[in-house]
Amino acid sequence: MKENRDRKPRIVCIGGGTGLSVILRGLKKLPIEITAIVTVADDGGSSGRLRNDLQMPPPGDIRNVLIALADTEPLLERVLQYRFTSGEGLAGHTLGNLMIAAMKEITGDFTHAVQEMSRVLAVRGRVLPASEQDVVLMAEMTDGSIIKGESQIPQTGKRIKRVFLNPPEPRPLEEAIRAIQEADAIVIGPGSLYTSILPNLLVKGMSETIYAANACRIFVCNVMTQPGETDHFTASDHIKAIYDHVEKPLFDVAIINNEVPPPAIQEKYAEKGQKMVLPDIDRIQEMGCRVIADNLLLYRSVVRHDAERISSHIERLIDERMQKRHSG
């Protein structure tokens, strides 16, 4: 079948939490088709309560991704992210989470609810849960103890040996698998390594489909370590942890930050036990992975990824891939 050269490139972004949202805000400005595949292992706060009360997948990470891809006014974004501070049973919930829960009750199906919310918010792309099954994230620590629950794992003060899902290998969403198979590029990260990124890759068939995909497979590394998850991790340690879990070399390219934050910023993060993720480029290249190292820092009240700069790197990688395909 002749490939349509005029179609927009297809990109799949996999993750959860704020890291994925930051990347999507940059990518949605590009002429590409975006599918975001989001973890459903969250069990804390408003998401955890709705998950328990309504027997539904946790909506928090989905909410953040929907808002990141939405064509919304700033005030509407503030409304959707608004967290109630009082009211019996209401305090702690965000309005966006409650809207997704209401849509799930109306449609009778979580994936359909997300699709309808996407339509209401004029989302630029698709947002899909990695699985519709009720999954719990578990962790085996290096001392042999087992910790249950995504929100509990970073709080133990112990080092993580591995994470796994209960039930093991939950069914993937077929649309998510198909999106990966049809992608021109697959972006994994940034985000919490063990509690946002790996839960997606442990869904049945997910890592195998990524490995087999005819796409540029890109890892975007965190800029700072995360207490209780990646203390003292270098950039290659992040990649090695993923490879150890999925038993496959998943990535073609790693995009990593090589800019050292100013001392005042470093001191602020050190108070929380966080340090810059060191860009050990040689070790990543020894793992067979091409490295793009650049200043990816954006200073707000906290250090964030520069979404536009990362997006330009991703766009260039997609262009390279498409040109190779057409010339081949």
Side-chain angles (χ1 to χ4, degrees), residues 22-23 190 219-224 254-261 276 279 291-299 302-314 316:
V22 168
I23 296 296
F219 177 66
V220 181
C221 190
N222 295 343
V223 294
M224 306 299 289
I255 300 176
I256 61 176
N257 170 61
N258 64 0
E259 174 72 7
V260 179
M276 174 188 169
V291 177
I292 294 175
D294 193 6
N295 174 6
L296 304 179
L297 301 185
L298 201 60
Y299 301 110
V302 291
V303 173
R304 284 271 182 261
H305 280 91
D306 185 330
E308 294 198 1
R309 185 163 289 194
I310 292 174
S311 295
S312 67
H313 285 303
I314 292 171
R316 195 166 66 251

Side-chain angles (χ1 to χ4, degrees), residues 6-141:
D6 298 324
R7 72 162 174 82
K8 290 180 181 178
R10 298 174 184 140
I11 184 164
V12 171
C13 300
I14 301 173
T18 54
L20 180 59
S21 300
V22 168
I23 296 296
L24 292 172
R25 286 178 192 277
L27 288 175
K28 76 175 182 181
K29 299 172 185 174
L30 301 179
I32 57 177
E33 290 181 13
I34 300 172
T35 300
I37 299 174
V38 187
T39 181
V40 286
D42 188 7
D43 66 352
S46 171
S47 280
R49 286 164 59 194
L50 289 169
R51 174 179 180 161
N52 292 330
D53 292 347
L54 302 176
Q55 281 71 57
M56 64 179 279
D61 284 343
I62 295 269
R63 180 196 80 240
N64 283 326
V65 168
L66 283 170
I67 292 169
L69 285 174
D71 192 9
T72 57
E73 294 295 320
L75 181 58
L76 179 57
E77 180 174 339
R78 284 179 61 194
V79 169
L80 292 168
Q81 295 284 37
Y82 179 75
R83 193 176 296 275
F84 292 93
T85 55
S86 60
E88 190 176 341
L90 196 58
H93 281 303
T94 61
L95 182 61
N97 281 1
L98 294 175
M99 287 178 68
I100 294 171
M103 195 70 86
K104 186 257 178 188
E105 295 280 293
I106 291 165
T107 62
D109 172 67
F110 185 72
T111 302
H112 192 198
V114 174
Q115 288 171 350
E116 288 302 309
M117 281 292 290
S118 299
R119 197 172 55 79
V120 168
L121 297 174
V123 162
R124 299 180 188 179
R126 287 187 301 168
V127 180
L128 304 172
S131 172
E132 282 191 305
Q133 274 187 265
D134 187 20
V135 295
V136 177
L137 185 66
M138 314 281 285
E140 180 187 355
M141 315 310 277

Side-chain angles (χ1 to χ4, degrees), residues 144-158:
S145 61
I146 303 293
I147 307 299
K148 178 181 178 181
E150 178 264 353
S151 60
Q152 299 303 310
I153 292 166
Q155 309 300 326
T156 62
K158 300 176 180 180

